[in-house]
C-alpha cells in the first residue's frame, strides 16, 4: 500500500503543469520487492517530504518538530529494470535524486543512471537517516563512475545539494 497522501498530492501537482508527466506508484530502491515506508510529518501535518524507506536518525535531533507518524508497505523497483521494462528513455542529461537517505542504494544498483551528464543529490555529512551513506561515500562512488563534485549548495550546516558532472 502506498502513502496515499504523497501519491495523491503528486498526481494533483503534475496535472497542473503544461508538460507531460507520468506517475508510477513505486519507491525506487536497489531491487523489486516491498519494503516498509516511513511516513514522516511535521507537527502541522503539512510536510510529508521527509518520508523515507530509511528511519530517522540525527534528523530527529536537528528537526524535533518532524516525526515518524506511521508506516505503510510500498512496492519497490530497481530503476534500471523499470526503465527497461517500461521502454522509457535511458539517455538523460540530468538525474536528480532526493530520496531521504536512500540515494546510495539506488546509485549502487544502477548502471543506467550513469548515462547522465549531470547528477544532483541531496547529501549529508552525517547519518540523518539510519544507514544513510554520508557525502564522502557518495563522492567516492560517483568518482569511481567518472564524476566529480562541481558544486555544493548548503541548506544546513550538515546537509545540502551536491551537483556532479561527468568528467
Amino acid at each position: 500500500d502506498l502513502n496515499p497522501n504523497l501519491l495523491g498530492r503528486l498526481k494533483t501537482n503534475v496535472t497542473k503543469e503544461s508538460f507531460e508527466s507520468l506517475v508510477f506508484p513505486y519507491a525506487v530502491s536497489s531491487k523489486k520487492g516491498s519494503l516498509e515506508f516511513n511516513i514522516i510529518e511535521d507537527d502541522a501535518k503539512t510536510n510529508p517530504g521527509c518520508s523515507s524507506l530509511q528511519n530517522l536518525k540525527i534528523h530527529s535531533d536537528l528537526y524535533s518538530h518532524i516525526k515518524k507518524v506511521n508506516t505503510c508497505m510500498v512496492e519497490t523497483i530497481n530503476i534500471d529494470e523499470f526503465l527497461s521494462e517500461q521502454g522509457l528513455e535511458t539517455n538523460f542529461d540530468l538525474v536528480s535524486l532526493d530520496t531521504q537517505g536512500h540515494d546510495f542504494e539506488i546509485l549502487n544498483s544502477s548502471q543506467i543512471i550513469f548515462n547522465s551528464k549531470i547528477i544532483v543529490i541531496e547529501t549529508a555529512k552525517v547519518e540523518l537517516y539510519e544507514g544513510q551513506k554520508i557525502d564522502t561515500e557518495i563522492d567516492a562512488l560517483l568518482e569511481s563512475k567518472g564524476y566529480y563534485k562541481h558544486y555544493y549548495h548548503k541548506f544546513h550546516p550538515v546537509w545540502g545539494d551536491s551537483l556532479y558532472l561527468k568528467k
Side-chain angles (χ1 to χ4, degrees):
D1 200 34
L2 284 172
N3 179 347
N5 295 337
L6 286 176
L7 190 59
R9 188 179 297 178
L10 176 61
K11 286 180 180 178
T12 299
N13 287 345
V14 299
T15 58
K16 295 175 186 174
E17 300 299 329
S18 59
F19 53 84
E20 181 184 8
S21 298
L22 303 172
V23 176
F24 297 96
Y26 304 105
V28 179
S29 189
S30 59
K31 61 185 176 187
K32 280 185 179 182
S34 62
L35 290 172
E36 188 171 79
F37 187 76
N38 299 294
I39 300 171
I40 299 166
E41 292 268 7
D42 60 4
D43 288 342
K45 301 261 189 260
T46 58
N47 179 11
C50 295
S51 296
S52 176
L53 290 169
Q54 312 292 117
N55 278 306
L56 293 172
K57 190 170 181 180
I58 293 172
H59 192 288
S60 295
D61 299 330
L62 297 175
Y63 303 100
S64 60
H65 66 289
I66 297 175
K67 297 174 182 64
K68 178 175 163 179
V69 296
N70 206 346
T71 62
C72 63
M73 293 304 291
V74 295
E75 269 191 77
T76 60
I77 57 163
N78 169 281
I79 195 66
D80 289 10
E81 289 176 24
F82 179 75
L83 291 169
S84 297
E85 289 170 3
Q86 297 295 320
L88 297 171
E89 180 65 47
T90 58
N91 290 309
F92 353 90
D93 292 327
L94 170 71
V95 168
S96 179
L97 296 176
D98 184 354
T99 61
Q100 303 308 112
H102 203 70
D103 310 286
F104 188 90
E105 289 78 359
I106 295 165
L107 290 168
N108 203 36
S109 65
S110 177
Q111 293 303 313
I112 293 175
I113 283 176
F114 302 112
N115 292 344
S116 181
K117 298 172 188 169
I118 304 166
I119 298 176
V120 178
I121 305 172
E122 186 178 274
T123 58
K125 298 179 183 319
V126 297
E127 259 185 84
L128 295 172
Y129 293 83
E130 288 180 11
Q132 177 180 11
K133 301 294 185 190
I134 61 171
D135 58 355
T136 54
E137 295 168 291
I138 290 176
D139 291 349
L141 174 63
L142 287 171
E143 188 172 305
S144 77
K145 300 291 187 179
Y147 292 81
Y148 69 96
K149 188 184 284 188
H150 176 73
Y151 179 75
Y152 177 75
H153 181 82
K154 181 167 47 171
F155 286 105
H156 182 276
V158 299
W159 67 270
D161 283 341
S162 296
L163 184 140
Y164 300 88
L165 298 177
K166 193 173 255 186
K167 294 177 186 173

